[in-house]
Amino acid sequence: MPSFPADFLWGAASAPHQVEGNNVNSDFWMQEPHMIGADRSGDALDSYNRYPEDIALIADSGLDTYRFGIEWARIEPAPGQFSRVQLAHYRRMIDTALDAGVRPFVTLHHFTSPRWFAEEGGWRSPQAIDRFRAYVEVTTTILDGVEWVCTINEPNMLAIMVEEAETALDPNSATEWLSPTLEADTPRPVKPAPSEEIGRRLIEAHHAARDIVRERTGARVGWSVASRAFETRPGAEEVRRRLEYVWEDLYLEAAADDDYIGVQAYSAQWVGLDGIEPHPVHPDNTLVRTAYRPDALGIAVRHTADVLPHVPVVVTENGIATGDDTRRIAYTESALTALAEAMADGVDVRGYIHWSLLDNYEWGHWSPTFGLVAVDRETFERRPKPSLAWLGAVARQSRAERAGGTV
Ligand code: IFM
């Protein structure tokens, strides 16, 4: 394994709706029964109650960072009504992490909003920014000791999800649900690009939240962008530039004054003269039908650094949907090698956070397993896979090398 800086973050991630269970006041919970052919989140992994076990898994493995989210739908179950009990819940989560020697990396919005917010018009509503601002103001009261805050996870994917939700909730639509994070079987229609109108609204929300977090906490604040790791066929440079703008650069450029930029990369995507090329079925494809491309992480951080040369990068998500844990280790090892090469070439990367800690709910589907830990969905027993110990050992080794000792 290549070496990484001494204070490099080594972590794993989750998101509230994907692990907590019974997120009944959220827009996604409301939408689930309308998503044709989709699985329900239900009890999920009961991390709402079992978060101490999740944090202990991180601490025991040798990782030092847990990226998790605070659920707006729980904090503000009705407009302007904030729950002290739920604020205390997430404060306990932060304290549990700190007590275990695990750094909490807190996401304020990871795809889900309160259902009342969606009913009011969601991100399209003229009140959206004020609503988000009010939630963030209240939430900053529990962030003492948190060093890293992500305002909004993958705004570019969220901009797609907002429109997909509208389709799912349309009684005249008979479209089968497909998570935006899954590719369809080929020949697939290329997914529509994120809506720029919603994207600009999310940028406004991010800037508002960033100002509040800066004013009221000592945390470094940024957001995380889903990278497509575009590669260009000869002559398609201009097509790529246009696509890259609506898919990615709009959101990266909005982070020019942030404290860091979160990069989330899983696979790469070819762009030809006709646009994004449909991705072919292949035996090596992952369980979300993307190409097996661990090198995508290197492409993603290099592109991000080209757009934002002065903003440090944190890899806030990277991983693979596979039922074969040996493949997960091989993928992650190659991804870390590509990351180290980019760092050797001058990209300023401050940490690597694996997606995900647990085999969780993939936005309508339980079958794509991304976790370092499997979970029995009847007993909720956590069963760590070899990849957790492997990644933890990489982290330990890296810290020991820097300290001049052995693991
Ligand atoms: O599960 C998602 C996560 O919520 C956002 N980034 C991509 C992951 C894997 O598809």
Side-chain angles (χ1 to χ4, degrees), residues 60-110:
D60 295 347
S61 71
L63 297 176
D64 53 42
T65 301
Y66 184 28
R67 175 175 175 235
F68 61 87
I70 292 179
E71 180 58 60
W72 182 7
R74 293 190 199 271
I75 298 291
E76 192 177 3
Q81 191 180 308
F82 294 93
S83 166
R84 283 195 193 89
V85 167
Q86 298 300 337
L87 285 163
H89 166 84
Y90 288 106
R91 181 62 229 178
R92 275 196 300 277
M93 233 178 131
I94 292 167
D95 284 335
T96 304
L98 292 171
D99 291 349
V102 170
R103 192 181 285 108
F105 194 122
V106 174
T107 306
L108 300 179
H109 188 283
H110 193 124

Short mmCIF file of all heavy atoms in Angstrom, two decimals, residues 60-110:
data_model
loop_
_atom_site.label_atom_id
_atom_site.label_comp_id
_atom_site.label_asym_id
_atom_site.label_seq_id
_atom_site.Cartn_x
_atom_site.Cartn_y
_atom_site.Cartn_z
N ASP A 60 -13.08 -0.38 16.62
CA ASP A 60 -12.33 -1.62 16.79
C ASP A 60 -11.53 -2.00 15.55
O ASP A 60 -10.52 -2.69 15.63
CB ASP A 60 -13.27 -2.79 17.15
CG ASP A 60 -13.93 -2.57 18.51
OD1 ASP A 60 -13.46 -1.68 19.25
OD2 ASP A 60 -14.91 -3.27 18.82
N SER A 61 -12.01 -1.56 14.39
CA SER A 61 -11.33 -1.95 13.15
C SER A 61 -10.00 -1.24 12.95
O SER A 61 -9.13 -1.74 12.24
CB SER A 61 -12.23 -1.64 11.95
OG SER A 61 -12.30 -0.24 11.76
N GLY A 62 -9.87 -0.05 13.55
CA GLY A 62 -8.66 0.75 13.29
C GLY A 62 -8.98 2.00 12.48
O GLY A 62 -8.14 2.88 12.32
N LEU A 63 -10.22 2.08 11.96
CA LEU A 63 -10.61 3.32 11.28
C LEU A 63 -10.80 4.40 12.34
O LEU A 63 -11.01 4.10 13.52
CB LEU A 63 -11.90 3.10 10.48
CG LEU A 63 -11.81 2.08 9.35
CD1 LEU A 63 -13.16 1.85 8.69
CD2 LEU A 63 -10.78 2.52 8.30
N ASP A 64 -10.75 5.68 11.93
CA ASP A 64 -10.82 6.74 12.94
C ASP A 64 -11.93 7.76 12.67
O ASP A 64 -12.05 8.75 13.40
CB ASP A 64 -9.47 7.46 13.05
CG ASP A 64 -8.97 7.96 11.71
OD1 ASP A 64 -9.78 8.50 10.93
OD2 ASP A 64 -7.76 7.79 11.43
N THR A 65 -12.71 7.55 11.62
CA THR A 65 -13.72 8.56 11.25
C THR A 65 -15.02 7.87 10.88
O THR A 65 -15.00 6.85 10.18
CB THR A 65 -13.20 9.38 10.03
OG1 THR A 65 -11.96 10.01 10.40
CG2 THR A 65 -14.19 10.45 9.61
N TYR A 66 -16.14 8.43 11.35
CA TYR A 66 -17.45 7.91 10.94
C TYR A 66 -18.22 9.07 10.33
O TYR A 66 -18.52 10.05 11.00
CB TYR A 66 -18.21 7.34 12.15
CG TYR A 66 -19.55 6.70 11.80
CD1 TYR A 66 -19.78 6.13 10.54
CD2 TYR A 66 -20.58 6.63 12.74
CE1 TYR A 66 -20.99 5.52 10.22
CE2 TYR A 66 -21.79 6.02 12.44
CZ TYR A 66 -22.00 5.47 11.18
OH TYR A 66 -23.20 4.87 10.87
N ARG A 67 -18.52 8.94 9.03
CA ARG A 67 -19.37 9.94 8.39
C ARG A 67 -20.82 9.45 8.49
O ARG A 67 -21.16 8.39 7.97
CB ARG A 67 -18.98 10.12 6.91
CG ARG A 67 -19.92 11.06 6.19
CD ARG A 67 -19.50 11.35 4.75
NE ARG A 67 -20.55 12.16 4.16
CZ ARG A 67 -21.19 11.87 3.04
NH1 ARG A 67 -20.85 10.81 2.32
NH2 ARG A 67 -22.16 12.64 2.59
N PHE A 68 -21.63 10.19 9.21
CA PHE A 68 -23.04 9.84 9.34
C PHE A 68 -23.86 11.11 9.24
O PHE A 68 -23.34 12.22 9.30
CB PHE A 68 -23.32 9.10 10.65
CG PHE A 68 -23.01 9.90 11.90
CD1 PHE A 68 -23.97 10.75 12.46
CD2 PHE A 68 -21.77 9.81 12.50
CE1 PHE A 68 -23.70 11.48 13.60
CE2 PHE A 68 -21.49 10.54 13.65
CZ PHE A 68 -22.44 11.38 14.20
N GLY A 69 -25.18 10.93 9.10
CA GLY A 69 -26.03 12.09 8.89
C GLY A 69 -26.98 12.36 10.04
O GLY A 69 -27.29 11.47 10.84
N ILE A 70 -27.44 13.61 10.07
CA ILE A 70 -28.52 14.02 10.97
C ILE A 70 -29.77 14.11 10.09
O ILE A 70 -29.70 14.65 8.98
CB ILE A 70 -28.18 15.36 11.64
CG1 ILE A 70 -27.00 15.14 12.59
CG2 ILE A 70 -29.40 15.95 12.35
CD1 ILE A 70 -26.53 16.38 13.31
N GLU A 71 -30.88 13.55 10.57
CA GLU A 71 -32.09 13.48 9.75
C GLU A 71 -33.00 14.68 10.06
O GLU A 71 -33.59 14.77 11.14
CB GLU A 71 -32.81 12.16 10.04
CG GLU A 71 -34.08 11.95 9.25
CD GLU A 71 -33.86 12.02 7.73
OE1 GLU A 71 -33.10 11.21 7.20
OE2 GLU A 71 -34.46 12.92 7.09
N TRP A 72 -33.10 15.55 9.08
CA TRP A 72 -33.94 16.76 9.21
C TRP A 72 -35.38 16.38 9.58
O TRP A 72 -36.01 17.03 10.43
CB TRP A 72 -33.88 17.52 7.88
CG TRP A 72 -34.62 18.81 7.81
CD1 TRP A 72 -35.25 19.48 8.83
CD2 TRP A 72 -34.81 19.62 6.63
NE1 TRP A 72 -35.81 20.65 8.37
CE2 TRP A 72 -35.55 20.75 7.02
CE3 TRP A 72 -34.41 19.49 5.30
CZ2 TRP A 72 -35.92 21.75 6.11
CZ3 TRP A 72 -34.77 20.48 4.40
CH2 TRP A 72 -35.52 21.59 4.79
N ALA A 73 -35.91 15.31 8.97
CA ALA A 73 -37.31 14.92 9.22
C ALA A 73 -37.56 14.56 10.68
O ALA A 73 -38.69 14.64 11.17
CB ALA A 73 -37.68 13.75 8.32
N ARG A 74 -36.50 14.16 11.39
CA ARG A 74 -36.67 13.86 12.82
C ARG A 74 -36.49 15.12 13.66
O ARG A 74 -37.20 15.33 14.64
CB ARG A 74 -35.63 12.81 13.27
CG ARG A 74 -35.82 11.45 12.65
CD ARG A 74 -34.90 10.43 13.34
NE ARG A 74 -34.71 9.25 12.55
CZ ARG A 74 -35.48 8.16 12.58
NH1 ARG A 74 -36.54 8.12 13.37
NH2 ARG A 74 -35.21 7.12 11.82
N ILE A 75 -35.53 15.96 13.25
CA ILE A 75 -35.24 17.18 14.04
C ILE A 75 -36.41 18.16 13.97
O ILE A 75 -36.73 18.83 14.94
CB ILE A 75 -33.95 17.86 13.49
CG1 ILE A 75 -32.74 16.94 13.61
CG2 ILE A 75 -33.70 19.21 14.15
CD1 ILE A 75 -32.25 16.68 15.00
N GLU A 76 -37.05 18.22 12.79
CA GLU A 76 -38.14 19.21 12.61
C GLU A 76 -39.37 18.47 12.04
O GLU A 76 -39.66 18.54 10.85
CB GLU A 76 -37.67 20.32 11.65
CG GLU A 76 -38.61 21.51 11.62
CD GLU A 76 -38.10 22.66 10.71
OE1 GLU A 76 -37.05 22.51 10.06
OE2 GLU A 76 -38.79 23.70 10.67
N PRO A 77 -40.10 17.76 12.90
CA PRO A 77 -41.22 16.94 12.40
C PRO A 77 -42.37 17.77 11.83
O PRO A 77 -43.15 17.26 11.03
CB PRO A 77 -41.66 16.14 13.63
CG PRO A 77 -41.09 16.86 14.80
CD PRO A 77 -39.87 17.59 14.34
N ALA A 78 -42.48 19.01 12.23
CA ALA A 78 -43.48 19.92 11.65
C ALA A 78 -42.80 21.27 11.47
O ALA A 78 -41.83 21.57 12.19
CB ALA A 78 -44.68 20.05 12.57
N PRO A 79 -43.27 22.09 10.49
CA PRO A 79 -42.55 23.34 10.22
C PRO A 79 -42.36 24.19 11.48
O PRO A 79 -43.33 24.47 12.19
CB PRO A 79 -43.46 24.07 9.22
CG PRO A 79 -44.45 23.07 8.75
CD PRO A 79 -44.45 21.90 9.66
N GLY A 80 -41.13 24.52 11.77
CA GLY A 80 -40.84 25.39 12.91
C GLY A 80 -40.90 24.69 14.26
O GLY A 80 -40.65 25.31 15.29
N GLN A 81 -41.21 23.40 14.26
CA GLN A 81 -41.29 22.66 15.52
C GLN A 81 -40.09 21.73 15.62
O GLN A 81 -40.00 20.75 14.87
CB GLN A 81 -42.59 21.86 15.54
CG GLN A 81 -42.91 21.28 16.89
CD GLN A 81 -44.22 20.49 16.81
OE1 GLN A 81 -45.24 21.01 16.34
NE2 GLN A 81 -44.18 19.24 17.22
N PHE A 82 -39.19 22.06 16.53
CA PHE A 82 -37.95 21.29 16.62
C PHE A 82 -38.00 20.34 17.82
O PHE A 82 -38.49 20.74 18.88
CB PHE A 82 -36.75 22.25 16.72
CG PHE A 82 -36.60 23.06 15.47
CD1 PHE A 82 -37.19 24.31 15.34
CD2 PHE A 82 -35.90 22.54 14.38
CE1 PHE A 82 -37.07 25.05 14.17
CE2 PHE A 82 -35.79 23.27 13.21
CZ PHE A 82 -36.37 24.52 13.10
N SER A 83 -37.50 19.14 17.63
CA SER A 83 -37.58 18.13 18.68
C SER A 83 -36.31 18.12 19.52
O SER A 83 -35.24 17.75 19.04
CB SER A 83 -37.81 16.76 18.04
OG SER A 83 -37.56 15.76 19.01
N ARG A 84 -36.47 18.48 20.80
CA ARG A 84 -35.31 18.44 21.71
C ARG A 84 -34.82 17.01 21.88
O ARG A 84 -33.63 16.75 22.00
CB ARG A 84 -35.73 18.95 23.09
CG ARG A 84 -35.83 20.44 23.14
CD ARG A 84 -35.87 20.93 24.59
NE ARG A 84 -36.28 22.32 24.56
CZ ARG A 84 -37.55 22.72 24.60
NH1 ARG A 84 -38.53 21.87 24.71
NH2 ARG A 84 -37.83 24.01 24.54
N VAL A 85 -35.77 16.07 21.87
CA VAL A 85 -35.40 14.67 22.06
C VAL A 85 -34.52 14.18 20.90
O VAL A 85 -33.52 13.49 21.11
CB VAL A 85 -36.70 13.81 22.18
CG1 VAL A 85 -36.40 12.32 22.05
CG2 VAL A 85 -37.40 14.12 23.49
N GLN A 86 -34.89 14.58 19.69
CA GLN A 86 -34.09 14.13 18.54
C GLN A 86 -32.74 14.85 18.48
O GLN A 86 -31.73 14.24 18.11
CB GLN A 86 -34.86 14.35 17.23
CG GLN A 86 -36.14 13.56 17.14
CD GLN A 86 -35.92 12.06 17.24
OE1 GLN A 86 -34.84 11.55 16.96
NE2 GLN A 86 -36.94 11.33 17.66
N LEU A 87 -32.73 16.10 18.85
CA LEU A 87 -31.44 16.80 18.92
C LEU A 87 -30.53 16.09 19.92
O LEU A 87 -29.34 15.85 19.66
CB LEU A 87 -31.63 18.27 19.32
CG LEU A 87 -32.20 19.17 18.22
CD1 LEU A 87 -32.75 20.47 18.80
CD2 LEU A 87 -31.11 19.50 17.17
N ALA A 88 -31.13 15.70 21.06
CA ALA A 88 -30.33 15.00 22.09
C ALA A 88 -29.85 13.64 21.57
O ALA A 88 -28.74 13.21 21.87
CB ALA A 88 -31.17 14.82 23.36
N HIS A 89 -30.70 13.01 20.75
CA HIS A 89 -30.31 11.71 20.18
C HIS A 89 -29.02 11.87 19.35
O HIS A 89 -28.06 11.12 19.52
CB HIS A 89 -31.44 11.17 19.30
CG HIS A 89 -31.02 10.03 18.42
ND1 HIS A 89 -30.98 8.71 18.86
CD2 HIS A 89 -30.60 9.99 17.13
CE1 HIS A 89 -30.55 7.94 17.88
NE2 HIS A 89 -30.31 8.68 16.82
N TYR A 90 -29.04 12.86 18.44
CA TYR A 90 -27.86 13.00 17.57
C TYR A 90 -26.66 13.52 18.35
O TYR A 90 -25.51 13.20 18.02
CB TYR A 90 -28.19 13.88 16.36
CG TYR A 90 -29.09 13.14 15.39
CD1 TYR A 90 -30.45 13.45 15.27
CD2 TYR A 90 -28.60 12.09 14.62
CE1 TYR A 90 -31.28 12.75 14.40
CE2 TYR A 90 -29.42 11.38 13.75
CZ TYR A 90 -30.75 11.71 13.64
OH TYR A 90 -31.56 11.00 12.79
N ARG A 91 -26.91 14.29 19.41
CA ARG A 91 -25.79 14.72 20.26
C ARG A 91 -25.14 13.50 20.92
O ARG A 91 -23.93 13.41 21.03
CB ARG A 91 -26.30 15.73 21.30
CG ARG A 91 -25.23 16.27 22.23
CD ARG A 91 -24.15 17.05 21.47
NE ARG A 91 -22.82 16.62 21.83
CZ ARG A 91 -21.69 17.11 21.30
NH1 ARG A 91 -21.71 18.02 20.34
NH2 ARG A 91 -20.53 16.67 21.68
N ARG A 92 -26.01 12.55 21.37
CA ARG A 92 -25.46 11.32 21.97
C ARG A 92 -24.63 10.55 20.96
O ARG A 92 -23.61 9.96 21.30
CB ARG A 92 -26.61 10.41 22.47
CG ARG A 92 -27.11 10.76 23.86
CD ARG A 92 -27.95 9.64 24.45
NE ARG A 92 -29.13 9.34 23.65
CZ ARG A 92 -30.28 10.01 23.71
NH1 ARG A 92 -30.42 11.03 24.55
NH2 ARG A 92 -31.31 9.67 22.95
N MET A 93 -25.08 10.58 19.71
CA MET A 93 -24.31 9.88 18.67
C MET A 93 -22.92 10.50 18.51
O MET A 93 -21.91 9.79 18.40
CB MET A 93 -25.08 10.01 17.35
CG MET A 93 -25.34 8.71 16.69
SD MET A 93 -26.29 8.92 15.19
CE MET A 93 -25.26 7.91 14.13
N ILE A 94 -22.91 11.83 18.49
CA ILE A 94 -21.62 12.54 18.36
C ILE A 94 -20.74 12.20 19.57
O ILE A 94 -19.56 11.88 19.42
CB ILE A 94 -21.87 14.07 18.24
CG1 ILE A 94 -22.55 14.37 16.90
CG2 ILE A 94 -20.57 14.86 18.41
CD1 ILE A 94 -23.13 15.77 16.78
N ASP A 95 -21.34 12.24 20.77
CA ASP A 95 -20.56 11.94 21.98
C ASP A 95 -20.05 10.51 21.98
O ASP A 95 -18.92 10.24 22.40
CB ASP A 95 -21.42 12.17 23.24
CG ASP A 95 -21.56 13.66 23.54
OD1 ASP A 95 -20.68 14.44 23.13
OD2 ASP A 95 -22.57 14.04 24.17
N THR A 96 -20.90 9.59 21.51
CA THR A 96 -20.48 8.18 21.49
C THR A 96 -19.26 8.02 20.58
O THR A 96 -18.31 7.30 20.91
CB THR A 96 -21.65 7.29 21.00
OG1 THR A 96 -22.77 7.54 21.84
CG2 THR A 96 -21.30 5.81 21.03
N ALA A 97 -19.30 8.70 19.45
CA ALA A 97 -18.16 8.63 18.54
C ALA A 97 -16.92 9.24 19.21
O ALA A 97 -15.85 8.61 19.25
CB ALA A 97 -18.48 9.36 17.24
N LEU A 98 -17.07 10.43 19.75
CA LEU A 98 -15.91 11.10 20.36
C LEU A 98 -15.32 10.25 21.49
O LEU A 98 -14.10 10.09 21.60
CB LEU A 98 -16.30 12.49 20.88
CG LEU A 98 -16.66 13.53 19.80
CD1 LEU A 98 -17.24 14.81 20.44
CD2 LEU A 98 -15.43 13.89 18.95
N ASP A 99 -16.21 9.68 22.33
CA ASP A 99 -15.73 8.84 23.44
C ASP A 99 -14.98 7.61 22.95
O ASP A 99 -14.11 7.09 23.64
CB ASP A 99 -16.90 8.38 24.33
CG ASP A 99 -17.51 9.54 25.10
OD1 ASP A 99 -16.90 10.64 25.12
OD2 ASP A 99 -18.61 9.38 25.67
N ALA A 100 -15.36 7.12 21.76
CA ALA A 100 -14.71 5.92 21.21
C ALA A 100 -13.44 6.28 20.44
O ALA A 100 -12.81 5.42 19.83
CB ALA A 100 -15.68 5.18 20.30
N GLY A 101 -13.11 7.56 20.40
CA GLY A 101 -11.92 7.99 19.65
C GLY A 101 -12.19 8.03 18.15
O GLY A 101 -11.26 7.98 17.34
N VAL A 102 -13.46 8.11 17.79
CA VAL A 102 -13.84 8.16 16.37
C VAL A 102 -14.29 9.58 16.05
O VAL A 102 -15.10 10.17 16.76
CB VAL A 102 -14.99 7.17 16.08
CG1 VAL A 102 -15.57 7.38 14.69
CG2 VAL A 102 -14.51 5.73 16.25
N ARG A 103 -13.76 10.12 14.95
CA ARG A 103 -14.07 11.49 14.57
C ARG A 103 -15.44 11.51 13.86
O ARG A 103 -15.62 10.83 12.86
CB ARG A 103 -12.99 11.94 13.58
CG ARG A 103 -12.93 13.36 13.26
CD ARG A 103 -11.83 13.64 12.26
NE ARG A 103 -10.48 13.61 12.77
CZ ARG A 103 -9.58 12.66 12.52
NH1 ARG A 103 -9.88 11.62 11.77
NH2 ARG A 103 -8.36 12.72 13.01
N PRO A 104 -16.42 12.29 14.39
CA PRO A 104 -17.70 12.36 13.67
C PRO A 104 -17.60 13.33 12.50
O PRO A 104 -17.15 14.46 12.66
CB PRO A 104 -18.67 12.89 14.73
CG PRO A 104 -17.84 13.48 15.82
CD PRO A 104 -16.42 13.05 15.64
N PHE A 105 -17.98 12.88 11.32
CA PHE A 105 -18.00 13.70 10.10
C PHE A 105 -19.47 13.79 9.74
O PHE A 105 -20.07 12.81 9.29
CB PHE A 105 -17.19 12.98 9.02
CG PHE A 105 -16.82 13.81 7.82
CD1 PHE A 105 -15.48 13.98 7.48
CD2 PHE A 105 -17.78 14.40 7.02
CE1 PHE A 105 -15.12 14.74 6.36
CE2 PHE A 105 -17.43 15.15 5.90
CZ PHE A 105 -16.10 15.31 5.57
N VAL A 106 -20.08 14.95 10.00
CA VAL A 106 -21.55 15.02 10.05
C VAL A 106 -22.15 15.62 8.78
O VAL A 106 -21.80 16.73 8.37
CB VAL A 106 -21.99 15.83 11.29
CG1 VAL A 106 -23.49 16.05 11.29
CG2 VAL A 106 -21.57 15.09 12.57
N THR A 107 -23.08 14.87 8.18
CA THR A 107 -23.81 15.35 7.00
C THR A 107 -25.16 15.90 7.46
O THR A 107 -25.88 15.24 8.21
CB THR A 107 -24.04 14.19 6.00
OG1 THR A 107 -22.77 13.60 5.70
CG2 THR A 107 -24.69 14.68 4.72
N LEU A 108 -25.50 17.09 7.02
CA LEU A 108 -26.76 17.71 7.46
C LEU A 108 -27.94 17.32 6.59
O LEU A 108 -29.09 17.36 7.03
CB LEU A 108 -26.62 19.24 7.48
CG LEU A 108 -25.52 19.77 8.40
CD1 LEU A 108 -25.46 21.30 8.31
CD2 LEU A 108 -25.75 19.34 9.85
N HIS A 109 -27.69 16.96 5.34
CA HIS A 109 -28.78 16.58 4.44
C HIS A 109 -28.27 15.51 3.48
O HIS A 109 -27.36 15.76 2.69
CB HIS A 109 -29.28 17.80 3.65
CG HIS A 109 -30.52 17.52 2.85
ND1 HIS A 109 -30.48 16.83 1.66
CD2 HIS A 109 -31.81 17.81 3.08
CE1 HIS A 109 -31.72 16.72 1.18
NE2 HIS A 109 -32.55 17.31 2.03
N HIS A 110 -28.83 14.31 3.59
CA HIS A 110 -28.41 13.23 2.68
C HIS A 110 -29.67 12.71 1.98
O HIS A 110 -30.26 11.71 2.38
CB HIS A 110 -27.71 12.13 3.47
CG HIS A 110 -26.98 11.13 2.61
ND1 HIS A 110 -25.64 10.84 2.75
CD2 HIS A 110 -27.39 10.36 1.58
CE1 HIS A 110 -25.27 9.93 1.85
NE2 HIS A 110 -26.34 9.62 1.12
#
